[in-house]
Amino acid sequence: MAPGQNFRKPGGFGPMAGNVNGALGVKLAHPQRPVIVGCGDGCYLLSGFELLTAVQYDIPVIWIVFNNAEFQLIKLYQLQSYHEYGLVDFGNPDYVGFAQSCGAKGYRVETLEEFDAALDEALALGKPAIIDAHITRLALPHYSASPEGVIAGVAEMIAERIRSN
């Protein structure tokens, strides 16, 4: 990150989706700074209705929705705990259509080039926006309870389970 930029990760399940609506408060506290939320599609579905509040009060937050149609971190925790998973797949709405129906700008992107262009435009717009970033399910996030990342964290949890048996 560049100097002066901040990254905040709530951690664990407790505040799931807290960043989706909490971004509005952050933007109000720091109106001169861009506020961008990166969240999974499941996370966004839990409180994405706050887009209406952002539009109503003209709070220019950008939500990047990583769209892979599954609760990916829940799936990883289920695999770690139970060696199987279930009820983590879902269908997504048309996020661009949702944004437009709320009075915001929506972008659908599938490549890094499309993403770069959408982010630049959304930043210049100065209005609430959603970037619907379609990603593969194989794109594991670079964060987890383990400081070494998701893959190392899952391997560490599996090794601990083997040692304890």
Side-chain angles (χ1 to χ4, degrees):
M1 278 191 287
Q5 291 182 334
N6 295 296
F7 172 79
R8 182 77 176 136
K9 176 190 173 294
F13 286 117
M16 190 169 173
N19 60 336
V20 173
N21 49 24
L24 299 178
V26 171
K27 183 61 179 176
L28 291 173
H30 301 282
Q32 73 287 1
R33 301 177 91 174
V35 174
I36 302 169
V37 177
C39 59
D41 45 3
C43 182
Y44 189 81
L45 287 173
L46 290 173
S47 61
F49 53 83
E50 290 298 350
L51 179 62
L52 289 165
T53 303
V55 169
Q56 180 178 355
Y57 293 101
D58 197 25
I59 305 170
V61 170
I62 300 168
W63 287 271
I64 301 168
V65 179
F66 299 107
N67 187 338
N68 65 358
E70 75 175 354
F71 289 112
Q72 190 173 51
L73 289 179
I74 293 172
K75 180 180 181 178
L76 290 171
Y77 285 124
Q78 287 177 349
L79 285 168
Q80 177 264 316
S81 297
Y82 310 110
H83 307 291
E84 61 185 1
Y85 65 90
L87 304 174
V88 294
D89 300 308
F90 52 86
N92 272 309
D94 174 0
Y95 288 110
V96 172
F98 171 69
Q100 292 170 344
S101 70
C102 291
K105 180 70 176 170
Y107 306 86
R108 178 188 165 110
V109 300
E110 295 185 19
T111 68
L112 289 175
E113 293 77 19
E114 291 172 342
F115 174 79
D116 287 342
L119 182 59
D120 288 345
E121 185 178 321
L123 285 167
L125 186 65
K127 299 283 183 190
I130 294 176
I131 299 175
D132 180 11
H134 286 251
I135 64 170
T136 173
R137 288 186 173 183
L138 299 176
L140 293 174
H142 294 282
Y143 54 85
S144 73
S146 167
E148 303 301 320
V150 172
I151 299 292
V154 170
E156 178 183 315
M157 289 182 252
I158 291 171
E160 180 60 35
R161 172 168 249 151
I162 291 169
R163 282 193 296 270
S164 65
N165 285 336

